[in-house]
Amino acid sequence: VTRSHNQAFPDLLDVAEALQRLLGHFAPLGVVEIPLNQIRGRVLAKDILARDDLPPFNNSAMDGFAVRTVDVLGASPEQPIVLNVVADIPAGLPVEVDLKAGQAARIMTGAVVPASADAVVPVEETDINQRQPGLKTPEAVQISKPVHPGAHIRLAGEDVRKGEVVLWAGQMIRPQEVGFLSALGIPKAPVHRKPRVAIFSSGDELIPVEETLQPGKIHDANSYTLTALVEHFGGEVINLEIVPDVPEAVRECLDRAYSEKVDLILSSAGVSVGALDFVRGVIEQDGQLDFWRVNMRPGKPLAFGDYRKIPFVGLPGNPVSAYVGFMVFVRPALLKMCGRRELSYPATRVELRESITSDGRETYLRSIVTKQEGILVARLTGHQGSGNLRSLVQANALLMIPSGVVSLPSGAQVDAWMLSSD
Ligand code: AMP
Ligand code: MG
């Protein structure tokens, strides 16, 4: 590992410090009640208490026979004990069966176990090993071994006790939590409002994807990438499209974002020092702009500030820089507004399968991580120029090379951000 001199970039702001400063301007958004069929991916704003036991009553875990264990203590294959079947207990009905000595009830999975029974013997372990639908209740059943009390009974409250906290504020609702809430009889839950994000791309060279290329023009990539990213990380997009390099147009676009009452304005390009980078100037007139040169690669120039009190993030124009800038700075801000508590990207340790060099800034490299002989190994994808989207498309991970490191040999361990596959 070769390290650069500590003060290699004294004028650049550390990524961690820049992120901390930026996050200081965001807070979890207000609370809304959302029905279960729309709640996946949302973040709970309050703890959830169970209103009932789960399961709500003792029920059978098997199709079989509800018995009193005292009746079958002496059962054996040679001398099975015969019980009289006095009732049939289907799922879904209250039970009114009171088993007396020598009696059993046929019972279905999920049906209420009568208080007089203390075990269920599965059909497979009796002489009535049949379960075609509609089979009539047998008169008797043979049990050929003893059963222990509680066998194949799911006890009321064994999963969840009434009054317990079962889900916590800050927790994101996955499909399994949706079903859990439903099982608990909770049809809607309090979550944080979705962040509304206005997105625009700046640059005279940009045309929308539907238009045919003209000399000097390129198709806008960033507003599409950023829209998809914002939605992926829980936000809602107000698409302000492409803004030409004209101050009045930039102002008009920012005012539209303002009137939409968005929670964040997100732009790409037009914030660096080029002669036609007007976004910066317009924002400075009606807000404040912290223009940061962040100690990272790609994505060094990052503008952060507010326009008429709405937070503004200006990402670099190069498509890979915009993507990396989003992942490092905007993703955590979105998660924070959504109410998540853990904002850092989960990192995985991987082993380099080629040597790499860096200029000493915190570097994000596009990489393919695969498992070989049980370990995760990483190679770089294609040309790493920050304008080359293809190398990002080929990647399934970003490798994070800490600041101060200028080279690493093949075999070194680094942190990888595995990129989700959807
Ligand atoms: P700028 O920050 O305006 O100097 O832009 C840096 C580079 O990124 C230039 O090559 C731009 O053409 C390119 N670029 C800017 N915005 C976009 C965009 N939305 N989609 C694709 N490339 C872009
Ligand atoms: Mg430009």
Side-chain angles (χ1 to χ4, degrees), residues 202-206 245 268-272 276-277 317:
S202 113
D204 279 341
E205 74 278 33
L206 303 175
D245 290 323
S268 66
V271 285
S272 54
L276 295 176
D277 289 330

Side-chain angles (χ1 to χ4, degrees), residues 87-324:
D88 217 358
I89 313 173
L93 292 176
V95 71
E96 284 152 20
V97 181
D98 186 20
L99 296 181
K100 303 279 186 305
Q103 295 184 338
R106 188 166 73 161
I107 190 164
M108 305 302 147
T109 305
V112 183
V113 176
S116 50
D118 63 350
V120 169
V121 180
V123 277
E124 295 85 343
E125 294 173 16
T126 70
D127 63 326
I128 320 271
N129 188 7
Q130 299 161 305
R131 37 168 144 195
Q132 299 92 305
L135 207 68
K136 80 180 223 308
T137 318
E139 296 201 337
V141 61
Q142 284 187 16
I143 309 293
S144 47
K145 61 178 185 200
V147 280
H148 58 86
H152 305 293
I153 295 177
R154 301 188 283 219
L155 294 175
E158 73 172 28
D159 194 9
V160 172
R161 284 248 169 251
K162 178 177 177 166
E164 261 185 306
V165 175
V166 283
L167 296 171
W168 279 264
Q171 216 175 333
M172 194 187 71
I173 306 289
R174 303 170 300 168
Q176 50 271 54
E177 279 85 32
V178 182
F180 189 44
L181 287 166
S182 182
L184 289 162
I186 300 171
K188 52 189 167 61
V191 299
H192 293 280
R193 182 170 69 70
K194 278 188 174 199
R196 288 162 50 78
V197 182
I199 293 178
F200 68 92
S201 286
S202 113
D204 279 341
E205 74 278 33
L206 303 175
I207 56 169
V209 63
E210 298 82 9
E211 288 179 22
T212 13
L213 282 180
Q214 303 294 328
K217 304 289 186 191
I218 59 170
H219 285 125
D220 166 25
N222 295 345
S223 70
Y224 290 88
T225 313
L226 296 174
T227 295
L229 283 168
V230 165
E231 288 176 353
H232 184 92
F233 291 106
E236 228 167 66
V237 171
I238 287 81
N239 182 7
L240 302 179
E241 293 159 9
I242 296 165
V243 180
D245 290 323
V246 176
E248 294 70 43
V250 173
R251 174 182 298 283
E252 197 189 308
C253 171
L254 291 167
D255 285 335
R256 266 175 70 202
Y258 177 80
S259 64
E260 290 277 357
K261 296 190 166 55
V262 297
D263 301 296
L264 169 66
I265 303 170
L266 185 58
S267 77
S268 66
V271 285
S272 54
V273 291
L276 295 176
D277 289 330
F278 290 122
V279 178
R280 185 177 182 180
V282 173
I283 290 203
E284 275 170 337
Q285 277 173 24
D286 263 307
Q288 298 177 46
L289 199 64
D290 258 330
F291 184 67
W292 298 338
R293 288 167 33 84
V294 181
N295 188 19
M296 68 186 274
R297 189 182 75 138
K300 178 176 63 181
L302 183 99
F304 176 70
D306 71 86
Y307 181 74
R308 299 171 71 184
K309 303 264 183 315
I310 299 178
F312 167 84
V313 176
L315 295 170
N318 277 311
V320 176
S321 310
Y323 179 87
V324 172

Side-chain angles (χ1 to χ4, degrees), residues 341-362:
R341 309 278 167 97
E342 179 55 70
L343 307 181
S344 51
Y345 206 96
T348 306
R349 288 301 268 182
V350 300
E351 188 176 303
L352 288 178
R353 276 297 147 92
E354 61 188 271
S355 62
I356 58 116
T357 57
S358 158
D359 66 357
R361 285 181 274 163
E362 182 168 312

